[in-house]
Amino acid sequence: MEWRTSAGLTPYADALAEMEARAVAVGTGEARELLWMLEHPPVYTAGTSAEPGDLIDARFPVIPTGRGGKYTYHGPGQRIGYVVLDLTKRGRDVRCYVHALESWVIAALGELGVEAFAVDGRVGIWTLDRGREAKIGAIGVRVKRWVTLHGFSVNVDPDLSHFGGIVPCGLPEYGVTSLQSLGIPADLATFDAALALTADAFLETVSCP
């Protein structure tokens, strides 16, 4: 297993090409599985279920992608985690994988004092912000030949106004929040440390019987 952290901003298209190439190599046994932490320049990505009406203002590049889900935003101050695992070795159960991924992000946020949760029928990672449910993280995955691609994003300290160009994940009735908005003075390195503390449990639970 390789854990990689990329400094600076990695262009989305470059990361996508590298991730897809790595997934092929993992599937053929020519490369190790990968947990890749990075940041992107501001970009909107459209999942396979994206609705045109959810794109309000294309103020940043809009890139179609093969992951599930609708529109989401990526940008500075947001931790992106790309997860390339071989489910042939870990159990060919996509639902189990997605649940394990959600649980990993929730556990990492818990290390920082944030009570986060998943909601049936509503994609993403949620928490309470001033008493109202708000989205702090997104989950978007693709599984190709039983190798996983894409992963999660968590709002550490992004410019939340950048979400205004889309209806995030097609849910107009809910807002977005971040660790900074919740009063948690964490940076990307702090959140990465929380992810590292909880990664072993994720890798154990993703191997469903």
Side-chain angles (χ1 to χ4, degrees), residues 13-209:
D14 293 353
L16 187 63
E18 185 169 348
M19 175 177 56
E20 290 181 341
R22 181 61 169 259
V24 171
V26 167
T28 59
E30 297 173 5
R32 292 182 292 162
E33 295 175 311
L34 174 67
L35 302 176
W36 186 12
M37 306 300 151
L38 64 160
E39 281 179 283
H40 291 311
V43 63
Y44 295 133
T45 68
T48 54
S49 302
E51 299 285 347
D54 288 340
L55 181 61
I56 300 168
D57 174 14
R59 67 185 77 168
F60 303 120
V62 180
I63 301 179
T65 181
R67 64 161 175 80
K70 299 189 178 184
Y71 283 105
T72 194
Y73 163 77
H74 295 317
Q78 186 185 69
R79 174 50 84 217
I80 306 296
Y82 288 142
V83 181
V84 183
L85 298 181
D86 185 354
L87 295 186
T88 298
K89 299 177 181 178
R90 298 179 175 276
R92 293 183 174 186
D93 189 329
V94 176
R95 181 174 295 182
C96 174
Y97 166 67
V98 172
H99 177 71
L101 193 62
E102 290 174 337
S103 297
W104 183 25
V105 174
I106 290 168
L109 289 168
E111 292 288 330
L112 301 179
V114 176
E115 186 175 343
F117 48 89
V119 179
D120 286 343
R122 198 198 305 162
V123 178
I125 305 300
W126 302 83
T127 190
L128 293 180
D129 185 351
R130 300 170 183 87
R132 300 187 64 182
E133 289 186 10
K135 192 169 191 176
I136 193 168
I139 301 288
V141 304
R142 182 183 182 192
V143 178
K144 187 175 182 180
R145 295 179 181 175
W146 295 109
V147 177
T148 67
L149 298 100
H150 302 277
F152 64 84
S153 62
V154 173
N155 299 328
V156 177
D157 187 19
D159 185 340
L160 294 180
S161 71
H162 289 177
F163 285 89
I166 58 171
V167 177
C169 300
L171 296 168
E173 64 270 39
Y174 296 100
V176 292
T177 191
S178 65
L179 289 174
Q180 185 68 30
S181 292
L182 295 173
I184 307 295
D187 57 13
L188 294 175
T190 303
F191 184 63
D192 287 349
L195 286 168
L197 280 173
T198 51
D200 285 347
F202 161 65
L203 292 172
E204 289 173 6
T205 57
V206 78
S207 298
C208 298

